[in-house]
């Protein structure tokens, strides 16, 4: 059906049924689409794997079919045809139109990301549908949908605790299920180096030893083969991975492996920084990042750049730093920190399309058109404003409300709070960015989108990982995707209750905000760390 006829058909159907309305309560989709029109009647489909006659598009169905296969009990029923169409006239990347007919579903989108998003919507409809023998009964509806933000991210810190390939794949599945499309992978920090670098094997054999709980735990890390496997897995789910190698601070694990590049000790922060005055430090890091670049097709490398101040006092004792400052007429150590980042930007941008840094790097004057900023310090709104006014593209990930290692209820004891009382409830995440100083900026093109960050000092087990993530991943998803007119607390709660049942099916240990006693807080360690 062409677009005009399609519209006529929809309008006619709406007139006949009189039932078209938005935000339909029994449509348990998260994130909620821009517009849902429920028509009279049902759509009855085989509960069997989907197939398409477009050979070039069949790869898109893999995630759907894998997710549904445990629920498909009868392997003899025919496969279900799905009508997938690329319609370039739908201009917004990732947008789609989905229509359920009596015995078929059609999805049209301007690009394969949009078709995939439509399929994920269908997956959620399937998972929450009424079963009828070997068939599923879906509502008869038309959905028009487009993302609010292009960057809908989730960050996992695997330095403080390492979770491994299986858990990361499960998280990528959930990200895809919630239309989250950027996985920021924090692969190095003081407690452990987690990615194989062929040229510097001690980074993993020595730097991979230990974690936040046990500094002597045997080395854990991803081989380059593992990384390739995970990158391919993410790609099938339309998720781009952004690796982070944190520098010049948070580098203790690397410095344990290669002390020649250490910036020295500061009180409480042994070997926290890399040495900015040693020319060989830059060659060493560039070699590492070249290997990283070859593994991650995103062409974005996150260089960290946060909290260098913790260990910067070490540089005062370094005669090389004094010489560097004199030669470049630098008057304070912040300038040395920025010099370090500019040097790294110069070399990384020869082989990487973009670099990314935490917002401490905003004053460093990195190339505006090729640097993305992660704004995390909600107590430094001026840093966000400076980034925007300098023209940087920004990902919003302020601690309040987007840090997932903060507790999610006042009664929870394990995990972080801000100023001893503030935490991040699932509704705080849901209301972002309207509940933040970024509210006025969200329509600006310089805001790439938002991201939830899970630091893992307190995340000693998978149970606790799940407890912190669910259901807040659902809130994050709707904050990232759904524009304000369709955001609504009470309808979100209704839909979320249906998703809690899906968590039960997968044995997820989640926080239930409606029945907090269902799963008592998963407690491993206590930290009151507020940084
Ligand atoms: C950070 O939380 N240190 C970026």
């Amino acid at each position: 059906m062409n677009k005009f006829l399609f519209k006529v058909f929809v309008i006619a159907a709406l007139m006949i049924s009189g039932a078209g309305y938005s935000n339909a309560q029994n449509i348990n989709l998260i994130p909620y689409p821009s517009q849902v029109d429920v028509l009279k009647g049902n759509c009855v489909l085989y509960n069997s794997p989907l197939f398409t006659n477009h050979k070039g598009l069949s790869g898109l169905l893999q995630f759907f079919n894998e997710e549904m296969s445990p629920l498909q009990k009868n392997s003899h029923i025919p496969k279900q045809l799905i009508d997938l169409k690329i319609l370039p006239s739908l201009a917004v990347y990732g947008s789609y139109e989905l229509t359920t007919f009596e015995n078929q579903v059609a999805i049209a989108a301007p690009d394969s990301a949009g078709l995939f998003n439509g399929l994920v919507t269908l997956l959620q409809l399937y998972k929450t549908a009424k079963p009828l023998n070997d068939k599923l009964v879906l509502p008869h509806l038309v959905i028009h949908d487009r993302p609010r933000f292009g960057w809908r991210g989730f960050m996992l810190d695997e330095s403080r605790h390492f979770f491994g390939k299986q858990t990361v794949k499960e998280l990528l599945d959930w990200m895809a299920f919630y239309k989250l499309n950027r996985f920021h992978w924090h692969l190095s920090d003081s407690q452990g180096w987690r990615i194989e670098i062929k040229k510097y094997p001690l980074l993993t054999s020595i730097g991979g030893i230990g974690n936040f709980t046990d500094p002597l735990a045997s080395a854990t890390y991803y081989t380059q083969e593992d990384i390739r496997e995970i990158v391919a897995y993410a790609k099938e789910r339309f998720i781009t991975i952004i690796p982070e190698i944190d520098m010049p601070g948070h580098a203790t694990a690397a410095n344990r492996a290669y002390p020649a590049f250490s910036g020295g000790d500061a009180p409480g922060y042994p070997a926290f920084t890399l040495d900015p005055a040693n020319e060989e430090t830059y060659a060493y890091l560039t070699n590492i990042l070249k290997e990283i670049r070859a593994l991650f097709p995103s062409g974005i490398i996150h260089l960290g750049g946060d909290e260098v101040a913790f260990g910067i006092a070490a540089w005062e004792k370094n005669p090389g730093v004094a010489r560097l400052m004199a030669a470049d007429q630098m008057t304070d150590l912040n300038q040395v920190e920025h010099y370090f980042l500019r040097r790294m930007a110069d070399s990384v941008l020869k082989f990487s399309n973009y670099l990314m840094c935490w917002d401490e790097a905003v004053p460093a004057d990195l190339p505006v058109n090729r640097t993305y900023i992660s704004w995390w310090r909600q107590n430094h709104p001026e840093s966000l404003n400076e980034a925007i006014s300098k023209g940087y593209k920004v990902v919003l990930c302020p601690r309040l409300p987007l840090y997932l290692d903060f507790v999610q209820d006042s009664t929870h004891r394990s995990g972080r709070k801000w100023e001893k009382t503030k935490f991040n409830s699932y509704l705080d995440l849901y209301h972002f960015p309207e509940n933040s100083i970024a509210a006025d900026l969200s329509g600006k093109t310089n805001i790439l989108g938002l991201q939830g960050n899970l630091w893992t000092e307190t995340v000693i087990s998978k149970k606790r990982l799940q407890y912190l993530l669910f259901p807040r991943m659902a809130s994050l998803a709707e904050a990232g995707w759904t524009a304000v007119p369709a955001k609504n607390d009470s309808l979100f709660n209704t839909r979320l209750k249906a998703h809690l049942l899906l968590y039960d099916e997968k044995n997820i240990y989640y926080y239930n905000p409606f029945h907090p006693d269902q799963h008592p807080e998963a407690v491993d360690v206590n930290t009151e760390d507020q940084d």
Side-chain angles (χ1 to χ4, degrees):
M1 200 180 308
N2 72 27
K3 207 164 175 232
F4 173 73
L5 283 177
F6 176 82
K7 285 229 160 88
V8 169
F9 162 78
V10 169
I11 290 164
L14 283 170
M15 284 166 59
I16 292 162
S17 74
Y21 58 98
S22 294
N23 250 339
Q25 292 207 36
N26 58 341
I27 310 296
N28 291 314
L29 294 172
I30 297 176
Y32 202 74
S34 317
Q35 192 181 341
V36 179
D37 292 303
V38 181
L39 313 179
K40 199 173 163 152
N42 284 322
C43 162
V44 182
L45 301 171
Y46 291 116
N47 182 16
S48 62
L50 295 181
F51 77 100
T52 163
N53 293 325
H54 291 267
K55 288 275 175 293
L57 299 178
S58 58
L60 292 172
L61 301 176
Q62 195 162 324
F63 174 64
F64 184 101
N65 285 338
E66 277 168 23
E67 287 289 308
M68 284 308 294
S69 65
L71 306 176
Q72 289 162 347
K73 306 275 185 275
N74 182 352
S75 58
H76 300 297
I77 52 174
K79 286 189 172 187
Q80 176 77 49
L81 177 70
I82 171 119
D83 178 12
L84 300 178
K85 255 195 217 74
I86 297 276
L87 265 191
S89 58
L90 302 173
V92 178
Y93 181 81
S95 64
Y96 66 91
E97 291 178 0
L98 180 150
T99 309
T100 60
F101 298 99
E102 200 176 334
N103 295 113
Q104 217 201 350
V105 175
I107 303 175
D111 45 58
S112 46
L115 288 178
F116 183 79
N117 287 328
L119 283 163
V120 167
T121 294
L122 184 62
L123 176 64
Q124 291 200 1
L125 291 172
Y126 264 61
K127 289 210 170 192
T128 53
K130 272 187 281 166
L132 180 79
N133 302 322
D134 288 328
K135 300 207 164 174
L136 291 173
V137 184
L138 268 46
H140 181 16
L141 44 76
V142 182
I143 293 176
H144 292 83
D145 202 7
R146 57 194 280 179
R148 179 177 185 185
F149 294 109
W151 186 297
R152 302 178 299 280
F154 165 63
M155 188 213 79
L156 180 67
D157 162 17
E158 286 214 83
S159 173
R160 275 50 179 267
H161 287 103
F162 183 81
F163 300 95
K165 220 159 44 170
Q166 184 54 32
T167 300
V168 167
K169 286 184 174 177
E170 285 165 22
L171 292 176
L172 291 169
D173 288 343
W174 280 108
M175 285 180 68
F177 189 72
Y178 282 132
K179 300 190 175 83
L180 296 170
N181 63 356
R182 298 285 185 278
F183 179 51
H184 170 173
W185 208 357
H186 190 75
L187 287 164
S188 79
D189 210 299
S190 296
Q191 287 75 13
W193 182 282
R194 307 297 182 207
I195 178 165
E196 178 188 32
I197 302 296
K198 304 263 192 211
K199 200 172 173 76
Y200 302 106
L202 303 185
L203 282 171
T204 40
S205 62
I206 293 179
I209 294 174
N211 58 45
F212 194 84
T213 313
D214 175 7
L216 299 178
S218 4
T220 45
Y221 58 89
Y222 294 103
T223 64
Q224 295 202 351
E225 207 45 47
D226 293 334
I227 297 282
R228 276 190 277 270
E229 185 182 324
I230 292 172
V231 166
Y233 194 88
K235 186 166 180 244
E236 269 172 17
R237 287 151 183 75
F238 287 79
I239 296 168
T240 302
I241 304 188
I242 297 93
E244 179 183 354
I245 300 297
D246 207 344
M247 60 185 75
H250 290 274
T252 313
N255 289 335
R256 270 193 277 126
Y258 292 95
F261 308 112
S262 169
D265 297 332
Y269 290 92
F272 185 75
T273 59
L274 291 148
D275 185 352
N278 179 354
E279 271 307 304
E280 287 177 23
T281 304
Y282 298 103
Y284 160 68
L285 293 171
T286 300
N287 290 336
I288 291 173
L289 295 174
K290 276 187 182 152
E291 288 195 33
I292 298 276
R293 172 69 184 101
L295 291 167
F296 292 96
S298 64
I300 308 172
I301 298 179
H302 203 301
L303 296 183
D306 58 321
E307 298 180 321
V308 186
F310 287 172
I312 212 167
W315 293 356
E316 276 165 14
K317 296 181 271 171
N318 181 334
V321 171
R323 277 195 296 277
L324 174 67
M325 289 176 72
D328 276 42
Q329 291 160 359
M330 293 186 251
T331 50
D332 66 46
L333 292 176
N334 269 351
Q335 292 172 343
V336 180
E337 179 182 329
H338 298 154
Y339 165 88
F340 175 97
L341 289 173
R342 279 195 304 276
R343 286 288 306 269
M344 287 314 302
D346 280 350
S347 49
V348 169
L349 289 174
K350 292 201 170 80
F351 51 83
S352 181
N353 304 340
Y354 295 97
L355 55 94
M356 196 151 184
C357 285
W358 300 105
D359 69 78
E360 285 94 324
V362 172
D365 288 328
L366 302 173
V368 166
N369 293 331
R370 296 181 67 192
T371 305
Y372 298 157
I373 296 294
S374 309
W375 178 65
W376 68 284
R377 297 180 302 165
Q378 86 294 339
N379 53 331
H380 286 280
E382 76 288 356
S383 184
L384 172 61
N385 291 331
E386 186 183 341
I388 298 288
S389 63
K390 284 184 164 172
Y392 287 109
K393 294 241 187 319
V394 177
V395 172
L396 304 168
C397 53
R399 272 176 293 215
L400 298 177
L402 294 184
Y403 269 26
L404 295 155
D405 56 325
F406 278 56
V407 298
Q408 50 188 323
D409 185 80
S410 62
T411 60
H412 292 176
R413 295 180 301 109
S414 178
R416 292 160 77 187
K417 288 187 184 137
W418 184 255
E419 293 168 343
K420 302 213 184 307
T421 56
K422 296 189 190 127
F423 57 91
N424 293 333
S425 75
Y426 78 105
L427 284 177
D428 292 332
L429 269 88
Y430 184 69
H431 289 141
F432 187 79
E434 290 75 57
N435 58 357
S436 93
I437 65 136
D440 295 341
L441 296 169
S442 60
K444 300 236 162 79
T445 50
N446 275 12
I447 301 293
L448 291 174
L450 54 82
Q451 183 173 295
N453 292 344
L454 183 57
W455 301 100
T456 60
E457 286 92 334
T458 66
V459 189
I460 203 167
S461 66
K462 187 157 167 181
K463 187 171 166 186
R464 182 151 170 76
L465 178 85
Q466 293 179 341
Y467 194 77
L468 290 168
L469 273 181
F470 296 93
R472 291 189 293 190
M473 199 186 252
S475 316
L476 179 69
E478 191 141 320
W481 182 277
T482 307
V484 173
K487 274 169 94 173
N488 174 307
D489 285 14
S490 94
L491 295 175
F492 179 66
N493 281 340
T494 304
R495 291 180 278 113
L496 187 56
K497 283 175 190 160
H499 281 234
L500 299 186
L501 301 178
L502 303 179
Y503 304 162
D504 287 330
E505 272 168 24
K506 295 237 177 178
N507 288 321
I508 299 281
Y509 194 86
Y510 60 91
Y511 171 63
N512 185 337
F514 312 106
H515 296 287
D517 295 340
Q518 182 185 350
H519 297 131
E521 188 187 14
V523 175
D524 295 310
V525 289
N526 241 325
T527 59
E528 291 295 330
D529 167 16
Q530 297 194 345
D531 293 312

